[in-house]
Amino acid sequence: MTPHESATAAPTTPAAEAAETARQLRHLTDRAAVADLLGRYLRSLDEGVFDEAWGRAFYAADATAEMPLGTVRGRDAIVARIRAGMALFDRTVHLGGAPVIEIDGDRATAHGPQLSTHVLADGSEALFVSGGRAETELVRTPDGWRIAASALRVTWTRGTPPRLPAGTGSADAA
């Protein structure tokens, strides 16, 4: 703003300033909550507990997940698919880069890189590594932000992919 513009701009009222500060604070706390949810989600994949409580902590009831093991709809189906996919590995480390988060009222999107390292559970100790990006849509619920839709876009892999049970999707894993 130039000195001329500031001299001619309409004065702001304390109420207008307070409202703007509240709007900015809500935006920042929403961004922090979304970033925290995504970080906790990746960490939870390595902890290996995929029960009903885990599903409620991260997913909306009607969520959709597009993953290398296929696309599934509904929180229970997502939990079951992730449990099956992660059972293919003895140990994992999932790393996410800083996502670009956009908030629009009670909805948000987050896009960020993801690197996943897996040790196969077949006794071979072979490594399977994948890299790509996570695209996530989120919704504000009474319990906080939850994932409404997610897509893991694997762009490269290295190492030995796991052997999948029949009917579970492609050769890549969570």
Side-chain angles (χ1 to χ4, degrees):
M1 184 178 294
T2 68
H4 175 70
E5 290 172 324
S6 63
T8 60
T12 57
T13 65
E17 288 179 10
E20 178 58 16
T21 298
R23 186 195 66 74
Q24 291 174 350
L25 181 59
R26 173 86 182 242
H27 182 78
L28 291 172
T29 56
D30 283 343
R31 286 179 51 82
V34 166
D36 182 64
L37 178 75
L38 297 173
R40 286 185 298 108
Y41 175 78
L42 286 177
R43 185 183 71 208
S44 77
L45 292 176
D46 302 329
E47 294 169 349
V49 178
F50 309 110
D51 57 14
E52 186 178 320
W54 178 86
R56 283 192 317 271
F58 293 106
Y59 287 96
D62 59 349
T64 300
E66 189 179 329
M67 55 188 93
L69 288 176
T71 299
V72 291
R73 289 172 179 70
R75 180 172 47 220
D76 293 341
I78 292 169
V79 171
R81 183 63 58 94
I82 289 174
R83 185 183 305 120
M86 296 303 290
L88 299 170
F89 307 110
D90 183 47
R91 297 177 305 280
T92 63
V93 175
H94 290 81
L95 301 172
V100 174
I101 298 170
E102 296 181 18
I103 307 291
D104 183 12
D106 290 339
R107 300 197 68 77
T109 59
H111 302 272
Q114 183 173 322
L115 179 66
S116 304
T117 303
H118 313 82
V119 177
L120 298 187
D122 63 4
S124 71
E125 292 287 311
L127 287 178
F128 177 65
V129 181
S130 65
R133 67 186 186 284
E135 300 172 354
T136 310
E137 296 176 21
L138 302 103
V139 62
R140 187 191 318 270
T141 73
D143 297 319
W145 288 96
R146 295 296 184 267
I147 298 168
S150 63
L152 177 58
R153 310 280 185 212
V154 175
T155 56
W156 62 268
T157 63
R158 292 288 183 268
T160 305
R163 292 206 170 136
L164 301 178
T168 57
S170 71
D172 297 334

